[in-house]
Amino acid sequence: MSTVILVGETDGNGIKDVSQQVAGVAAGMGEVVGLVIGKNVSESAMKLAAGKVIIADDERLEYYDPVKYASIVSQVVQKNDATKVLMGATTMGKDLGPRVAAELGWGYLGDCLEASSEGFVRPDFAGKVLARSKPEGPLVASIRNNAYPIGESWSGSVENFSGDIPDSTLNTTSIEKIGAGTIELTEANIVVSGGRGLESPENYEALIRPLAATMGAAAGASRAIVDAGWVPHSHQVGQTGKTVTPDLYLAIGISGAIQHLGGMSGSKFIAAINKDPEAPIFKVADYGIVGDLFETVPVLKTKLEKL
Amino acid sequence: MNIAVLIKMVPDTESRLEIIDGKVKEDGFKYMVNPYDEFAVEQAVQFKEAVGGKVTLVSLFSDNTSIDTDLRKMMAIGADETIVLRQQEYSGNKPSSNARILSETVKELNADLIMCGVQGIDYYQAATGPMIAHFLGVPHVSGVTNLELSGDKLIASRQIEGGLQIVETPTPVLITCQKDMTKVRFPALKDIMMSKRKPFDNRDVGSEPGNDVQTTECSLPPARGGGVILEGEGPEEKVDRLIEKLKMEAKVL
Ligand SMILES: Cc1cc2nc3c(=O)[nH]c(=O)nc-3n(C[C@H](O)[C@H](O)[C@H](O)COP(=O)(O)OP(=O)(O)OC[C@H]3O[C@@H](n4cnc5c(N)ncnc54)[C@H](O)[C@@H]3O)c2cc1C
Ligand SMILES: Nc1ncnc2c1ncn2[C@@H]1O[C@H](COP(=O)(O)O)[C@@H](O)[C@H]1O
């Protein structure tokens, strides 16, 4: 049976959900060897859902560095005769995956929606087209969050990485947390987004963020209000922003331009509040409310708080 | 500072997507500069203005010359020259072989800084930059929202989950640009005129066997149900309906 290297990631709470999701996918493709790289990650790494976990835990690996990390992955691949490398399509996975593929001379599929021994599905043109493939050769792939259920955490055997950690000229000097405590768009189960219908940045702060907080949701935005400087680009959902696939996407004062739909139409359920019954967002909404957002949102928030 | 900026020509976001026999029909496409690559050009020109040097645009594309005016526009922003690698069977969906070909040309330029967009808005692989960096044997930093020169080093802010990773790097290095990096200028008329006289070098290139995965079949995503409006007297009633649905159907509350 072929061996699959699963590159797992940790955060403050242990193994990332997306890594456990990919673990489930990997299990369907062969014998899974987990690999976790970082500093002080050993305890979390053991929870990765893989029969064997290799841990590269070292001072020098505290921050993600493509040169060091890609070399470690390649060494583990060679030592274990693996033919596939899978990882979550996180900011690390999407950066590391192609570099590893180039280093190994393998194929690469980024940000997959589906992955199994039957084949892979990727979104082209912002998800407006689904591209299916059945790679025959060795492959590196990153898989999007929420595409699969989370694998059970369990511990198999553990081994320490014993290869080389190459030098790198990249030097991470710090990590700046933005909106600490807020939920990351691409990892959220619910996303509440606002658009130009809000009329001002103050209204975004007064209506969207509190509603998102009440719902345990991440706060998103249309490009119109990002371009207007109301919120940073990290909030933008759409073809030139983030692609999100939450269980619920709630669009408030957003018209639903094709470039916006590209980033969120893969959501399980879509709800929309807009005063214009002809707004294109309603074409994709499972639950549409035609009405003034300034009247509707406060009512929604109050009622949700009482639940 | 010599800077190479890699420009991908991508189908216009308004292009109609039609699928025939499992393939996207491409003959009607209009092409434009990948939006992220414009940030790369602007940032490169700003560095050149600050410390001197040269900005070279490199694009691998087909024989289609409709894109030439778009590339001239990038030179009007301030880039000095353009090299277009013309490949008959060009496909934007072959990051590995495209990266190999591009890295050959970039090598000749001896660039201190190589700039790409974070991803192409055609296939969303976000792969070409890191692959080229590997082929050139240089480090890379991807998804950079702010890039500053500090002596002979660069300081890059890289967008990560929940924040920014601040990375200091000497040159040569490859950077992929995220949207917030800088604001792209509108070129003045004289710069547009001048751009017409800047070097524009077309070179034919052959195909390069890569390790790219072939797409076997394309399809349109299943049409969303959608189109459901919740009826009700006022906001109160509509919101009650919504909450009911979110609880019972979507099960997110
Ligand atoms: C190359 C390219 C890439 C792009 N990428 C993206 C992208 O990634 N993401 C993105 O979002 N866009 C993107 N766009 C822009 C996109 O085309 C739209 O311009 C943008 O999404 C519009 O934002 P909006 O819906 O907030 O604003 P508008 O289209 O102005 O819509 C505002 C909506 O609010 C409603 N409204 C107004 N007042 C109220 C009220 N009181 N109560 C309720 N509703 C109200 C209106 O009826 C209207 O439907 C891109 C465009 C291009 C050309
Ligand atoms: N054919 C190409 N010609 C020039 N640059 C390219 C090409 N393909 C990709 N790139 C660069 O790589 C970035 C990411 O593209 P991709 O890997 O296709 O998502 C683009 O923004 C460009 O800077």
Side-chain angles (χ1 to χ4, degrees):
Chain A
M1 200 148 86
S2 62
T3 301
V4 183
I5 305 296
L6 157 69
V7 183
E9 276 180 75
T10 60
D11 59 17
N13 309 316
I15 293 284
K16 282 195 178 182
D17 283 355
V18 64
S19 301
Q20 297 293 45
Q21 293 169 15
V22 178
V25 173
M29 293 186 187
E31 198 168 323
V32 184
V33 175
L35 170 62
V36 179
I37 308 172
K39 178 187 159 195
N40 295 335
V41 291
S42 297
E43 201 177 316
S44 299
M46 288 183 220
K47 301 199 188 100
L48 187 62
K52 170 170 141 188
V53 179
I54 298 172
I55 304 176
D57 193 336
D58 192 284
E59 280 280 311
R60 291 167 286 171
L61 300 172
E62 176 167 10
Y63 301 111
Y64 170 65
D65 178 323
V67 176
K68 293 178 188 167
Y69 279 44
S71 162
I72 291 173
V73 176
S74 303
Q75 292 175 55
V76 168
V77 162
Q78 265 140 19
K79 213 168 159 199
N80 289 274
D81 270 330
T83 51
K84 282 198 179 64
V85 176
L86 301 184
M87 57 191 86
T90 57
T91 58
M92 175 181 121
K94 288 198 269 189
D95 182 284
L96 177 63
R99 184 136 192 157
V100 169
E103 191 159 335
L104 294 169
W106 290 10
Y108 176 68
L109 292 172
D111 215 8
C112 299
L113 297 169
E114 280 178 40
S116 73
S117 49
E118 301 298 303
F120 291 73
V121 178
R122 295 193 60 255
D124 288 348
F125 305 101
K128 285 181 266 180
V129 171
L130 301 178
R132 202 168 281 282
S133 59
K134 205 167 175 351
E136 315 249 302
L139 179 79
V140 181
S142 61
I143 296 163
R144 189 179 282 186
N145 191 38
N146 277 359
Y148 286 91
I150 297 170
E152 284 291 311
S153 84
W154 56 289
S155 43
S157 67
V158 172
E159 195 180 285
N160 284 318
F161 172 74
S162 57
D164 295 328
I165 301 175
D167 290 332
S168 166
T169 49
L170 298 176
N171 174 23
T172 296
T173 52
S174 65
I175 300 286
E176 276 176 19
K177 291 229 189 308
I178 296 177
T182 56
I183 300 166
E184 176 60 28
L185 265 180
T186 51
E187 293 174 3
N189 289 326
I190 304 180
V191 173
V192 176
S193 284
R196 188 142 49 191
L198 287 161
E199 290 174 6
S200 75
E202 292 74 30
N203 290 332
Y204 186 92
E205 299 302 320
L207 295 172
I208 300 299
R209 287 203 202 275
L211 180 62
T214 306
M215 298 180 82
S222 72
R223 167 162 155 186
I225 73 168
V226 170
D227 283 353
W230 299 3
V231 292
H233 177 249
S234 55
H235 287 58
Q236 183 176 320
V237 173
Q239 187 152 8
T240 48
K242 288 183 177 157
T243 305
V244 297
T245 46
D247 291 337
L248 174 70
Y249 187 86
L250 173 53
I252 299 173
I254 291 179
S255 60
I258 181 115
Q259 297 92 351
H260 189 80
L261 299 183
M264 44 64 82
S265 57
S267 305
K268 236 176 241 159
F269 289 91
I270 296 173
I273 302 173
N274 195 302
K275 68 176 181 189
D276 173 10
E278 303 296 324
I281 190 79
F282 287 129
K283 293 214 177 71
V284 299
D286 301 285
Y287 316 118
I289 292 187
V290 177
D292 189 336
L293 72 90
F294 296 103
E295 289 174 15
T296 314
V297 173
V299 176
L300 176 60
K301 181 163 169 287
T302 313
K303 288 189 187 272
L304 286 171
E305 276 163 356
K306 290 200 191 121
L307 284 184
Chain B
M1 180 141 93
N2 285 335
I3 308 174
V5 183
L6 301 186
I7 307 247
K8 187 174 202 184
M9 302 307 299
V10 296
D12 184 310
T13 53
E14 308 279 341
S15 289
R16 226 166 79 81
L17 291 167
E18 205 182 330
I19 290 176
I20 295 170
D21 292 335
K23 282 206 176 76
V24 176
K25 192 167 167 279
E26 295 184 2
D27 26 321
F29 282 178
K30 279 203 311 218
Y31 288 87
M32 63 178 204
V33 171
N34 186 38
Y36 296 102
D37 305 358
E38 293 193 19
F39 300 106
V41 176
E42 173 66 43
Q43 184 68 69
V45 170
Q46 286 178 19
F47 285 153
K48 181 190 79 165
E49 286 166 350
V51 297
K54 187 155 111 179
V55 176
T56 306
L57 310 180
V58 181
S59 186
L60 170 64
F61 195 60
S62 67
D63 287 337
N64 179 345
T65 52
S66 69
I67 60 153
D68 297 8
T69 43
D70 299 272
L71 288 169
R72 293 262 179 214
K73 263 184 222 152
M74 296 297 109
M75 289 203 282
I77 288 175
D80 300 284
E81 56 178 24
T82 296
I83 300 171
V84 186
L85 306 174
R86 302 285 183 178
Q87 189 188 42
Q88 244 154 36
E89 66 285 16
Y90 170 75
S91 155
N93 200 11
K94 295 195 295 189
S96 148
S97 59
N98 293 352
R100 267 176 212 280
I101 293 174
L102 286 162
S103 59
E104 289 306 317
T105 302
V106 173
K107 232 178 247 167
E108 291 168 24
L109 296 173
N110 267 322
D112 305 295
L113 174 61
I114 303 112
M115 299 187 73
C116 291
V118 64
Q119 61 186 4
I121 64 159
D122 46 2
Y123 299 100
Y124 283 80
Q125 288 273 34
T128 311
M131 287 181 172
I132 291 176
H134 172 78
F135 294 135
L136 296 175
V138 303
H140 76 268
V141 187
S142 74
V144 173
T145 56
N146 188 57
L147 187 64
E148 274 166 42
L149 267 176
S150 155
D152 54 357
K153 288 204 163 122
L154 284 160
I155 299 172
S157 308
R158 167 171 189 263
Q159 211 175 68
I160 58 171
E161 287 81 5
L164 295 171
Q165 179 179 11
I166 314 298
V167 185
E168 209 180 73
T169 170
T171 56
V173 64
L174 184 144
I175 301 283
T176 81
C177 305
Q178 184 53 277
K179 193 181 162 200
D180 266 352
M181 184 178 264
T182 175
K183 208 164 151 44
V184 181
R185 72 188 71 179
F186 287 103
L189 191 60
K190 78 164 181 10
D191 295 324
I192 296 174
M193 298 311 290
M194 254 189 16
S195 73
K196 300 202 170 112
R197 270 176 279 143
K198 289 182 175 174
F200 193 104
D201 183 6
N202 284 296
R203 301 182 187 170
D204 288 327
V205 294
S207 61
E208 172 85 22
N211 318 96
D212 295 297
V213 179
Q214 291 249 323
T215 298
T216 47
E217 196 193 357
C218 288
S219 58
L220 297 175
R224 281 198 73 93
V228 187
I229 303 290
L230 303 175
E231 301 299 337
E233 276 302 306
E236 293 272 340
E237 238 178 84
K238 291 177 187 173
V239 166
D240 284 340
R241 295 252 152 86
L242 176 62
I243 290 179
E244 167 85 13
K245 294 276 190 192
L246 296 185
K247 257 203 227 157
M248 308 308 290
E249 239 176 60
K251 301 197 166 68
V252 291
L253 297 181

